[in-house]
Amino acid sequence: MLEVKDLRVNYGAIQAVQGVDFTVNDGEIVALIGANGAGKSTILKTISGLLRPKSGTITYEGTRLDKLSAAKIVAAGIAQVPEGRHVFAGLTVMENLKMGAYSAPKTQAAQLTAVFEQFPVLQERRHQDAATLSGGEQQMLAMGRALMAKPKLMLLDEPSMGLAPLFINKIFAIIKAINATGTTVLLIEQNATQALQIADRGYVVANGKVRLSGTGAELLANPAVQSAYLGG
Ligand code: ATP
């Protein structure tokens, strides 16, 4: 479904991504794990068209994404849930969700029903200002907003960041549930244990390169991964 080949991305003189290759197959959950500053967010932002690569290719269902605008990439079926959530404060929960459907107005009503089934709390709070939600609820809103575009591939940037443990478990369970309804997921996380527990496959990113890859279970059992990323 998604193929990233020899991707290189710079910020001026800083080579943040230095020749990364990976794939995401239809229906999978794939996790990119690695320390702060490894290049994970840069990879995700380049896939969603917020950054342009210096070289390399990103191909999604046969189409080169690395030349498309961010809006065209959303229209192609890819939605990103940004790090830090970025819900629109001053707008209600409902208004935030509708913003997510701008590229898919025809399916808005059906998607709203699906989002409320997945996140009952958003239905309860639909008239509330998004800024008044807790961090975990804002994460749910950001995910719900992305789902409003009816994506085939969802990109999640650090969904568990800054959340209480109870909410972290909930968010990972929801990611699994979203995947079970047919949405492919590419997830980046510093919470490597839980990310690999739900992932079909994972890639370890360090200093702008992929250092290791395998199934979620293989990476969880790998001593090098355990000592560097799983606190073991
Ligand atoms: P984090 O979890 O902190 O987001 P990450 O693995 O996602 O880490 P990136 O944010 O992709 O890492 O950063 C990769 C490298 O690029 C780091 O060295 C970082 O300092 C640098 N970098 C990121 N954003 C910028 C920017 N806007 N300008 C300059 N350098 C940047």
Side-chain angles (χ1 to χ4, degrees), residues 95-222:
E95 287 164 343
N96 266 272
L97 291 174
K98 286 186 175 166
M99 298 286 276
Y102 73 93
S103 68
K106 284 188 195 138
T107 52
Q108 179 172 312
Q111 282 309 102
L112 192 61
T113 305
V115 167
F116 284 157
E117 268 171 31
Q118 193 70 252
F119 305 100
V121 70
L122 297 183
Q123 184 162 26
E124 282 163 30
R125 309 208 163 185
R126 63 191 180 281
H127 301 306
Q128 210 168 305
D129 187 324
T132 66
L133 300 180
S134 73
E137 289 162 353
Q138 289 191 14
Q139 181 61 44
M140 291 182 197
L141 178 55
M143 290 165 73
R145 186 179 56 193
L147 284 175
M148 289 296 289
K150 210 172 187 303
K152 285 189 263 180
L153 172 63
M154 197 163 171
L155 310 177
L156 289 160
D157 192 341
E158 304 272 5
S160 80
M161 192 171 63
L163 300 185
L166 195 69
F167 264 124
I168 293 180
N169 293 338
K170 220 173 193 171
I171 291 295
F172 281 108
I174 289 167
I175 295 168
K176 264 208 95 96
I178 289 171
N179 176 249
T181 65
T183 309
T184 304
V185 173
L186 175 61
L187 166 72
I188 72 175
E189 261 297 336
Q190 282 189 54
N191 191 338
T193 305
Q194 274 170 299
L196 292 175
Q197 278 168 350
I198 65 160
D200 295 294
R201 293 185 304 110
Y203 294 86
V204 177
V205 182
N207 298 322
K209 290 186 177 152
V210 169
R211 305 290 168 168
L212 272 172
S213 64
T215 65
E218 282 166 357
L219 291 175
L220 280 169
N222 182 308

Side-chain angles (χ1 to χ4, degrees), residues 54-132:
K54 176 170 176 283
S55 62
T57 58
I58 303 169
T59 311
Y60 169 73
E61 296 191 324
T63 302
R64 283 278 295 274
L65 294 187
D66 45 283
K67 307 237 182 284
L68 294 185
S69 67
K72 287 214 165 104
I73 291 170
V74 175
I78 300 180
Q80 176 163 7
V81 183
E83 181 174 339
R85 316 191 248 279
H86 297 290
V87 300
F88 301 110
L91 296 187
T92 64
V93 167
M94 188 67 125
E95 287 164 343
N96 266 272
L97 291 174
K98 286 186 175 166
M99 298 286 276
Y102 73 93
S103 68
K106 284 188 195 138
T107 52
Q108 179 172 312
Q111 282 309 102
L112 192 61
T113 305
V115 167
F116 284 157
E117 268 171 31
Q118 193 70 252
F119 305 100
V121 70
L122 297 183
Q123 184 162 26
E124 282 163 30
R125 309 208 163 185
R126 63 191 180 281
H127 301 306
Q128 210 168 305
D129 187 324
T132 66

Side-chain angles (χ1 to χ4, degrees), residues 11 14 16 34-43 83 157-158 188 190:
Y11 298 102
I14 298 171
N36 230 325
K40 307 180 301 296
S41 291
T42 303
I43 294 169
E83 181 174 339
D157 192 341
E158 304 272 5
I188 72 175
Q190 282 189 54

